[in-house]
């Protein structure tokens, strides 16, 4: 298990804003995704765990061993932390063959054990045909597998991956995901994965840590996070949500229903415990739950009048974007884009408070 509680600050400069990292979390064996936009502090968190960055405050424990303790003055060197790290740019030694890269990473192991483990690792990651090649002679997928193999050949207690699928096309990405699932099954160690790809979280992670401006703003299984974002900011980070501001006009716990005033329209939603009539609230609804219809007269039950701004083709259909920063997913392939007056219909069960 990895236990992290760290803080680190960077002052503002003439051409740079200040930044403060303040995170606390723990992760057991399995894949945990650090999800967030660029600049949220994800890579800095990995670098602090690996020992490449020194926090200003806090403590890091790995299987009970202290890697960093600001109060006690403990800051182990990276080579002493038993952290496998897969960098964005692979960081393979260009003057070494693939096998030599692995030998360097396993140099602390006994000679016979080192030889056996390197051969097993090369076979496990399907690198036998290219073991004698140097990095510039490898494909992107081979470099990625070699980077993961090198991180694991030294028998680490944790694996850190910084956007490992960056720059990979769809087939190589699928191959990488298969490799990481197998690593999870075989090694049974904590794996921390930095990503800003929501689909990657769903494909790989058992737990998701949503980061924003140096803080963890929500955590949990990816499906739970997606189904119930903790705040408007989290919903915006996740994408795929319509966000609305409204006022509660009626509450009926017996019927599990409510009435919410949104501009000049009223929506029926579920009952919202802990809230009162007259409360101003933020609500969200998945864009794939909204139904878009050409407007024909006055909007009816649970409909809001909108203006169609643009139509964006998608692999699975169309994305319709409307005024008010609202959107809907259309599974069909054709609509009349000349029609600008539409309504968006929100199913009551799709509305949730944030």
């Amino acid at each position: 298990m990895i236990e992290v509680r760290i803080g680190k600050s960077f002052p503002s400069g003439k051409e740079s804003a200040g930044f403060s990292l303040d995170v606390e979390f723990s992760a057991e064996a399995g894949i945990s995704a650090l999800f967030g936009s660029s600049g949220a502090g994800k890579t800095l968190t990995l670098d602090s765990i690996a020992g490449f960055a020194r926090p200003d405050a806090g403590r890091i424990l790995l299987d009970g061993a202290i890697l960093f303790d600001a109060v006690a003055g403990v800051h182990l060197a990276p080579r002493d932390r038993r952290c496998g790290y897969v960098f964005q740019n692979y960081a393979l030694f260009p003057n070494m063959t693939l096998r030599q890269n692995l030998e360097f990473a396993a140099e602390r192991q006994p000679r016979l054990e080192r030889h056996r483990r390197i051969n097993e690792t090369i076979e496990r990651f399907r690198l036998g045909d290219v073991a004698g090649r140097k990095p510039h002679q490898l494909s992107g997928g081979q470099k990625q597998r070699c980077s993961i193999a090198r991180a694991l050949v030294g028998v680490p207690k944790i694996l850190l991956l910084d956007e490992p699928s960056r720059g990979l096309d769809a087939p190589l990405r699928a191959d990488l995901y298969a490799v990481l699932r197998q690593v999870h099954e075989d090694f049974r160690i904590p794996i921390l994965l930095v990503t800003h790809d929501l689909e990657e979280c769903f494909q790989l992670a058992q737990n998701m840590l949503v980061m924003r401006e140096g803080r963890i703003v929500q955590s949990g299984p990816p499906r739970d996070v997606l189904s119930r974002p903790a705040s408007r900011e989290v919903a915006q980070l996740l994408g795929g949500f319509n966000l609305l501001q409204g006022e509660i006009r009626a509450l009926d716990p017996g019927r599990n229903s409510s009435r919410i005033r949104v501009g000049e329209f009223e929506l029926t939603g579920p009952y919202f415990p802990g809230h009162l009539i007259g409360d101003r609230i933020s609500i969200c609804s998945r864009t794939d739950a909204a139904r878009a219809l050409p407007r024909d007269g006055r909007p009816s039950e649970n409909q809001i009048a909108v203006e169609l701004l643009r139509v964006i083709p998608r692999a699975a259909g169309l994305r319709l974007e409307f005024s008010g920063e609202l959107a809907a997913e259309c599974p069909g392939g054709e609509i009349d884009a000349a029609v600008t007056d539409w309504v968006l219909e929100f199913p009551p069960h799709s509305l949730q408070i944030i």
Side-chain angles (χ1 to χ4, degrees), residues 10 135 138-139 145 161 192 251 255 263 302 337:
F10 297 91
L138 303 176
S139 69
R145 292 205 306 277
L161 302 110
L192 294 184
L251 290 168
R255 295 184 179 181
N302 271 49

Side-chain angles (χ1 to χ4, degrees), residues 12-17:
S12 59
K14 184 177 180 180
E15 296 183 339
S16 61

Side-chain angles (χ1 to χ4, degrees), residues 245-246 261-265:
Q245 296 289 329
R261 182 81 171 177
V262 178
E264 60 182 291
F265 308 101

Side-chain angles (χ1 to χ4, degrees), residues 2 25-35 46 159-161 184 189-195 201 204-209 220 222:
I2 181 76
F25 66 91
S26 62
E28 298 182 345
I31 301 177
S32 298
L34 297 178
F35 174 86
L46 289 200
L159 179 63
L160 311 173
L161 302 110
H184 165 52
I189 58 175
I191 300 172
L192 294 184
L193 166 74
V194 162
T195 183
C201 293
L204 295 173
Q206 291 79 53
N207 192 47
M208 180 176 173
L209 305 170

Side-chain angles (χ1 to χ4, degrees), residues 250-259 269-275 277:
L251 290 168
D252 189 339
R255 295 184 179 181
N256 188 29
S257 68
S258 64
R259 296 288 293 175
Y271 176 69
F272 299 123
H275 290 274
I277 294 174

